[in-house]
Amino acid sequence: GVTVRDCLTWDNGRCGILVSGDLVEPGKREPAHNHRNVAVVGCVARDNPGDPKYLDNHSGSGILVGSADGGLIDQCVAYRNGEQCVAKSGGPVGIWAYASRGLTVRRCSAFD
């Protein structure tokens, strides 16, 4: 039951807004879903460049929610993120989720 509302993030290396958890529950094959009913509403994530020294994974996404069971990303904007990410593993992305279920992204935009 975590809510992030009406915030502005900028100049972050890893991510503008990050909710993260275990990919897989220990001893099982299913996602851990460490968080329940996450809400990110009315937020702006801009100019989060990423960390050019972090090579283990992507950096510089705008809004990233992981390992959530239920939730909402609504009326958010992400732009000018990730320009300094040099990791070869993919990403960054404007607004996204991983290892989650029942998470809705609506009325959002990501660009540039």
Side-chain angles (χ1 to χ4, degrees):
V2 174
T3 299
V4 180
R5 181 180 298 279
D6 300 326
C7 70
L8 169 63
T9 64
W10 71 94
D11 290 339
N12 295 289
R14 179 78 187 270
C15 190
I17 298 171
L18 174 63
V19 176
S20 184
D22 299 323
L23 283 175
V24 178
E25 192 170 338
K28 297 185 177 180
R29 293 180 165 224
E30 302 89 38
H33 298 121
N34 299 108
H35 312 288
R36 295 199 179 2
N37 301 319
V38 173
V40 181
V41 180
C43 296
V44 176
R46 65 165 178 82
D47 299 301
N48 297 289
D51 182 352
K53 295 178 183 173
Y54 182 63
L55 302 176
D56 292 340
N57 208 339
H58 54 80
S59 65
S61 289
I63 299 170
L64 171 54
V65 175
S67 196
D69 185 2
L72 174 67
I73 303 172
D74 189 23
Q75 300 179 54
C76 295
V77 179
Y79 62 96
R80 288 194 312 252
N81 294 296
E83 73 177 32
Q84 292 183 23
C85 177
V86 295
K88 304 291 186 216
S89 59
V93 176
I95 300 172
W96 66 299
Y98 72 90
S100 295
R101 67 180 172 201
L103 181 75
T104 300
V105 179
R106 68 178 183 196
R107 299 183 295 186
C108 295
S109 47
F111 57 92
D112 199 17

